[in-house]
Amino acid sequence: MKLVIIGLGYVGLANVAYLVSHGQKCVVAFDCDEAKISSLKANHFPFKEPALNDVLRKECKKVVYTSDAKDITDADAYFLAVGTPNKEDGTADLSFLNNAVDTIEKVSKGSRIVIRSTVPVGTAKKLKDRLSGFSIISMPEFLAEGRSYEDESSPYRIVVGAEASADFEFVRNLRKNDVNNGVPFYYMSNESAELTKYASNIFLSMKISYVNEMARLAEALGADITDVALAMGADPRIGHAMLKAGLGYGGSCFPKDGMALLETASKENLSLLLPQAAAAINVSQPLYFFKKIEKRFPTLSGVKIALLGLAYKAGTSDLRNALSLVLAKLFLAKGAALSAYDPSEGARKAFAQAYPSIQLFANKDDALKGADALVIVTEEGEFAQLDETTLLKEMNGRVIFDGRNLYLPRHFHYFEYISIGRAPTKPDIE
Ligand code: UGA
């Protein structure tokens, strides 16, 4: 069987890795970016995805990386995993998807197209109307960045939208391993599958915004949001996942998908109140945190701030909608002097492009040198194990702002500790 994956971002590569590690003898991995293809051929991977990279390296003989359309002729199925970023008006930009379909039309007279990209509801139908001889299968991905191979190979569920029973059967055969492992399969229309993806992502983002809003209330009332969220999550109907209060969600998925869903609904003359509120809370969350910083440092001009964590979440190199970008802008506008650190070189490089004036360090102790305060931006493991003796040695001031609630409020003895949804604490040793 000839299978072609088009679009080699983390979704496309996780698809490739899944297929070659679950029985496919060969997979053609296509991307029009020639530079990306050259580095993939040399087993240089663009993302900080250890499991994904290991599998691709191990199975490299089974993958044909190419940017030549001749290599993708007459496939049994084309998997679309291209990006669908937002246009300025919030609607999804389908130009990469349409380009991929144009290419498929040139190299195949009829086949299956499996859409793994997140696409507006109705996209599969439009493709069906446009193409003859092709069947269109909607199979949304549910992968979190940084663990895309793990999520693809151990999914909570497989969602398949199609019309013909042969198409459902095709996916079921391809995912025999999941069938054997008892992973639930949900068969539905293309529209329902497309909506399931958005509805799931927006639900998760609502959980985050809900806990962040409760955090503000907890703080006002003298409660502790981590205690509250822990006890809430013990009810399996609520669950612990996505209940960590913090600076809010970033990344290429939640913010983008929220906007796209609202746009889709508004075309149907519907305004979705809960997703709207989740998005608004998320925009105001870093501002709420920044106000705490301003309360502590009413004049930020000249204050030395060390930012720890630049990627949109721990363990990635991706800076899309990262909270570090929002905070850096606020700090610079007030004249603060910033130094910054992230363990990922890719994240540091991307940050340097956005803010060339900010001093970046490849080591967190160097970023802390002389800082009046440190600000934890991401939930990186090493930020949860800061050594107080080192902090005392490197820093000038004794204030820690924790945007991810990585410590118990009384953890630090020598530092003032200000987090989210919990009372601030003063040092108990001067
Ligand atoms: C998200 C979903 O989790 C995936 O299921 C989905 O497939 C993916 O989007 C997608 O649409 O492709 P991702 O954006 O990679 O995955 O990252 P998450 O781990 O979900 O985190 C998103 C953001 O929420 C991060 O900025 C993280 O710091 C924040 N977050 C997460 C919180 O603020 N609190 C939490 O409790 C959890």
Side-chain angles (χ1 to χ4, degrees):
M1 194 159 47
K2 182 171 178 180
L3 300 179
V4 172
I5 315 298
I6 302 183
L8 302 180
Y10 77 97
V11 173
L13 288 174
N15 266 259
V16 171
Y18 176 85
L19 291 169
V20 292
S21 59
H22 289 81
Q24 291 302 314
K25 296 214 165 46
C26 178
V27 165
V28 184
F30 177 89
D31 198 294
C32 52
D33 180 343
E34 289 177 16
K36 185 188 270 182
I37 293 296
S38 305
S39 39
L40 287 169
K41 278 182 177 165
N43 280 335
H44 292 147
F45 303 107
F47 309 108
K48 210 175 158 192
E49 294 264 359
L52 174 65
N53 298 348
D54 280 354
V55 174
L56 290 174
R57 204 168 286 119
K58 202 170 128 218
E59 307 281 3
C60 63
K61 291 207 172 73
K62 298 181 186 165
V63 186
V64 177
Y65 292 109
T66 183
S67 50
D68 187 345
K70 284 204 285 296
D71 293 331
I72 63 167
T73 50
D74 300 326
D76 295 287
Y78 295 91
F79 292 77
L80 297 184
V82 292
T84 53
N86 271 350
K87 291 195 270 195
E88 282 203 352
D89 63 359
T91 57
D93 177 353
L94 295 181
S95 53
F96 296 122
L97 188 108
N98 288 327
N99 290 345
V101 174
D102 290 345
T103 308
I104 294 172
E105 266 190 299
K106 286 184 196 135
V107 296
S108 168
K109 295 210 163 40
S111 181
R112 290 192 166 91
I113 294 180
V114 185
I115 308 175
R116 307 274 353 236
S117 308
T118 301
V119 292
V121 180
T123 303
K125 178 164 187 327
K126 281 193 186 135
L127 289 186
K128 279 185 223 164
D129 294 345
R130 170 183 156 182
L131 301 165
S132 65
F134 287 85
S135 55
I136 312 295
I137 302 173
S138 306
M139 188 186 170
E141 52 82 16
F142 299 98
L143 322 177
E145 236 176 285
R147 38 170 299 115
S148 62
Y149 179 74
E150 292 89 325
D151 287 351
E152 181 70 3
S153 51
S154 307
Y156 295 124
R157 78 293 212 188
I158 300 281
V159 173
V160 193
E163 277 176 353
S165 53
D167 290 333
F168 293 119
E169 208 40 48
F170 169 77
V171 175
R172 215 176 151 76
N173 270 330
L174 210 60
R175 308 288 306 207
K176 263 194 216 98
N177 188 59
D178 297 320
V179 176
N180 295 339
N181 287 340
V183 174
F185 279 62
Y186 295 96
Y187 301 114
M188 55 187 79
S189 66
N190 293 88
E191 289 76 9
S192 301
E194 289 166 338
L195 183 57
T196 302
K197 167 68 190 197
Y198 283 99
S200 303
N201 264 10
I202 289 26
F203 185 78
L204 297 176
S205 69
M206 287 193 316
K207 279 186 87 175
I208 299 173
S209 280
Y210 181 75
V211 80
N212 282 339
E213 198 170 42
M214 280 303 122
R216 299 183 201 179
L217 184 63
E219 210 167 300
L221 299 175
D224 180 324
I225 193 61
T226 34
D227 289 341
V228 174
L230 202 62
M232 279 171 68
D235 179 338
R237 293 171 303 172
I238 297 174
H240 289 293
M242 316 312 264
L243 271 195
K244 283 199 206 87
L247 283 163
Y249 52 84
S252 64
C253 303
F254 289 166
K256 163 182 87 82
D257 293 349
M259 275 169 82
L261 185 71
L262 290 172
E263 272 308 311
T264 301
S266 91
K267 284 194 192 127
E268 303 301 323
N269 293 321
L270 287 168
S271 61
L272 304 181
L273 300 181
L274 291 171
Q276 261 171 29
I281 292 165
N282 198 54
V283 169
S284 62
Q285 190 67 0
L287 306 176
Y288 154 81
F289 184 65
F290 191 71
K291 280 208 183 96
K292 286 152 151 321
I293 299 176
E294 278 192 300
K295 195 171 163 206
R296 176 62 183 74
F297 289 100
T299 309
L300 272 167
S301 178
V303 175
K304 279 194 80 179
I305 302 285
L307 285 184
L308 297 189
L310 304 175
Y312 84 91
K313 70 171 181 182
T316 77
S317 49
D318 192 341
L319 233 74
R320 286 175 288 178
N321 294 305
L323 277 311
S324 64
L325 299 172
V326 181
L327 289 177
K329 191 171 174 193
L330 293 167
F331 276 119
L332 290 181
K334 296 287 176 183
L338 292 177
S339 58
Y341 164 76
D342 192 284
S344 152
E345 193 188 345
R348 293 198 299 273
K349 277 191 183 150
F351 191 81
Q353 276 183 357
Y355 291 108
S357 67
I358 296 177
Q359 267 200 303
L360 284 174
F361 294 91
N363 174 311
K364 75 173 171 315
D365 293 353
D366 291 338
L368 294 173
K369 273 196 191 3
D372 296 305
L374 88 79
V375 177
I376 298 173
V377 188
T378 60
E379 56 287 74
E380 205 68 57
E382 63 176 299
F383 305 155
Q385 294 161 29
L386 295 173
D387 169 37
E388 223 170 338
T389 318
T390 311
L391 296 181
L392 282 170
K393 184 169 144 254
E394 303 294 357
M395 288 176 63
N396 184 36
R398 292 199 188 173
V399 190
I400 295 172
F401 295 99
D402 183 356
R404 296 290 168 185
N405 289 355
L406 299 185
Y407 294 92
L408 290 171
R410 295 240 150 259
H411 177 86
F412 294 100
H413 296 298
Y414 294 92
F415 286 82
E416 209 175 321
Y417 177 71
I418 298 166
S419 55
I420 290 182
R422 310 180 302 173
T425 53
K426 294 272 181 216
D428 49 31
I429 307 174
E430 285 303 323

